[in-house]
Amino acid sequence: MRKRYAVGSALTGAALARAGDEMSGPALLVAGPVFTGSASTGPALLAAITIAAAVGGPLFGVLLDRSARPGRLLAGALAGYAAALAVVLASLGHVPLVVTLLVALGAGLLGPALSGGWTAQLPRAAPPGLLPRVTALDAMTFNAASLAGPALAGLVAGAAGASAGVLVAAALIVVAVPCAYGLPGVACGGGGPVGASVRGVPAGPSVRTQPAGAQSLELGAPSGARPGPEPDPRPGKQSDPCVPDHPARRATSRRSPAAPSVLAGLAAGFRAVRHTPPLARATVTSVVSCTGQGMLTACSPLLGARFLGDARHGVLLLSVVAASALLANTALARRPGLLRPDTVLVCSTAVLAVALLMTAAAGPPALLLGAAVLVGLGEGPQLTALFAVRHREAPEHLRGQIFTTGASLKITGFALGAGLAGPLAARSLTGALLAAAALQVLAGLLFLGCTLLMCRTGTRTTNAALRPSPRRAPGS
């Protein structure tokens, strides 16, 4: 019952925080021009938050992995993000714009806490054997937030003014703070929740049995992922280091066993992605695919203007995509072990390529809406599959960084796609959509190429290669 409550609280908090995050972007786009009189202020604020999120993800992930209570760090990041949004709103029109943009950059550094940072904590909250289903439910919170956030921003701004949208977005994030604070911490000897029983289990590899249906999605803690604290070398001081007040326990909580410094931790995280072939394959595939998704998002106003009679109706297409993705992930949550996540990941790129080709050839509005539904059917399961691969492959002592780094790379890809689509769509909307479809094809080909390379070299499909040897500290 306690585990189920922890999962419910974690998913509720994630949904609230992500809805606030999705709402904040459109709210700033509306509030910026209202308070400064310049149409470029809103896009500048949004760009500042997005760019900073791409940079801040790896660093925040290192801090999460080095924390014995990552939920408390996550709660602090959420509170800081909400406070920064309030400061941005209060400073608009009252201080030089560059100061406001610097505050927005600071807020963006904390943005990955709402995405990868939260998802990385789910294995500690999920009941045994239910991580695949919890992963699908977590992906649904992204879909629900992307569906509700922009719509809520428009409704609130229309009913109560431009500033109300930003304030409500910040309030939603603040409401999620207690849920983050209550997330389980890291146990003394490994990655389990604080207070987990380790009776009769010697230090060393941790083993977790899985149901057959979940075997392809869930991963136990990697062997040797987080060595236990060293015994106190002083004579007569051989008490249990796992006792909360033990001095060795306090010392190891202040220094990460995974990395001697933040820079070393950053390097270890990137090595983890690069040297775990299934993880590298999923990361490359998802980033390239997300670049194509960014191109579609940037083209949506033009699609609305050309085929639906008004550029504002392009938002309707994005809402259809989000709703379709939410329905697809709802189905996956009921049958999480139906397909391997790697299979879902590569198949989603094919679905997205077909959908974008349909969009490029769209004439009647019904065909365009059908293409939007198909885009959602590709995007939703792709996100669930990506999370499942990360949960399965990420070493426990680097899990937070791998999730936040992956989120940052996807944000970067999305931003590049959106930026590339602008000049392309100005020349030819069809050409921009065909380029987006080509990126989905490229993502699928990269996945298949990585798979062939893994088969040719005989690479194992687990993260065993990253497990530290007895003579070498993790991340060294």
Side-chain angles (χ1 to χ4, degrees):
M1 180 64 70
R2 185 176 301 173
K3 277 281 189 178
R4 291 185 181 276
Y5 173 77
V7 170
S9 176
L11 293 177
T12 299
L16 290 170
R18 289 162 183 168
D21 186 37
E22 290 288 344
M23 186 179 177
S24 64
L28 289 174
L29 286 174
V30 173
V34 169
F35 286 96
T36 63
S38 173
S40 63
T41 302
L45 290 171
L46 187 60
I49 289 179
T50 303
I51 293 171
V55 174
L59 178 60
F60 187 76
V62 171
L63 297 177
L64 277 177
D65 289 330
R66 293 164 67 93
S67 174
R69 288 283 188 178
R72 297 181 181 181
L73 180 61
L74 191 60
L78 295 179
Y81 189 86
L85 288 177
V87 172
V88 166
L89 179 62
S91 65
L92 282 173
H94 298 285
V95 300
L97 181 60
V98 64
V99 176
T100 305
L101 291 176
L102 288 175
V103 177
L105 283 170
L109 290 174
L110 301 174
L114 284 73
S115 53
W118 202 303
T119 302
Q121 310 310 313
L122 291 182
R124 300 189 184 104
L130 291 184
L131 182 59
R133 184 176 183 184
V134 172
T135 298
L137 293 173
D138 180 56
M140 288 171 60
T141 66
F142 283 93
N143 306 137
S146 63
L147 178 62
L152 188 58
L155 289 174
V156 172
S163 60
V166 180
L167 291 176
V168 171
L172 286 173
I173 297 171
V174 168
V175 171
V177 168
C179 299
Y181 192 87
L183 287 170
V186 180
C188 176
V194 168
S197 174
V198 291
R199 288 174 299 181
V201 180
S206 64
V207 181
R208 181 186 302 174
T209 58
Q210 304 175 24
Q215 196 168 9
S216 64
L217 290 173
E218 188 177 3
L219 176 71
S223 172
R226 189 184 294 271
E230 298 178 0
D232 194 322
R234 294 173 295 177
K237 300 290 184 180
Q238 299 299 322
S239 58
D240 186 1
C242 286
V243 174
D245 292 331
H246 190 274
R249 172 90 168 98
R250 292 196 300 269
T252 54
S253 69
R254 289 193 296 266
R255 66 180 189 272
S256 169
S261 70
V262 172
L263 290 179
L266 285 170
F270 282 106
R271 282 200 306 269
V273 175
R274 188 172 73 249
H275 294 310
T276 307
L279 189 56
R281 177 180 64 182
T283 300
V284 171
T285 301
S286 64
V287 170
V288 174
S289 179
C290 196
T291 305
Q293 295 168 26
M295 296 185 71
L296 174 62
T297 300
C299 291
S300 61
L302 295 176
L303 286 169
R306 177 174 297 185
F307 298 107
L308 301 177
D310 193 324
R312 292 174 296 179
H313 293 165
V315 178
L316 172 64
L317 294 176
L318 300 181
S319 298
V320 171
V321 169
S324 175
L326 181 60
L327 291 175
N329 279 334
T330 301
L332 279 181
R334 296 177 65 88
R335 299 289 299 276
L338 187 62
L339 294 172
R340 286 182 56 84
D342 310 83
T343 303
V344 174
L345 193 62
V346 67
C347 289
S348 68
T349 63
V351 173
L352 287 168
V354 172
L356 288 167
L357 289 174
M358 289 175 57
T359 306
L367 181 60
L368 186 60
L369 292 175
V373 170
L374 196 58
V375 169
L377 294 178
E379 284 188 5
Q382 183 185 85
L383 185 62
T384 300
L386 177 63
F387 287 170
V389 172
R390 288 177 184 166
H391 281 309
R392 188 189 69 201
E393 301 294 337
E396 180 65 30
H397 64 290
L398 297 173
R399 186 183 300 275
Q401 187 184 346
I402 285 174
F403 269 87
T404 54
T405 299
S408 295
L409 291 173
K410 288 191 67 178
I411 290 171
T412 303
F414 189 93
L416 288 174
L420 180 63
L424 285 178
R427 296 185 175 215
S428 170
L429 177 60
T430 301
L433 293 170
L434 289 176
L439 284 171
Q440 301 300 336
V441 174
L442 175 61
L445 291 176
L446 287 172
F447 184 97
L448 295 176
C450 291
T451 302
L452 290 175
L453 183 62
M454 289 163 57
C455 293
R456 180 171 296 181
T457 58
T459 305
R460 294 180 61 186
T461 58
T462 69
N463 66 339
L466 278 172
R467 294 173 182 169
S469 63
R471 297 187 303 273
R472 187 178 180 187
S476 61

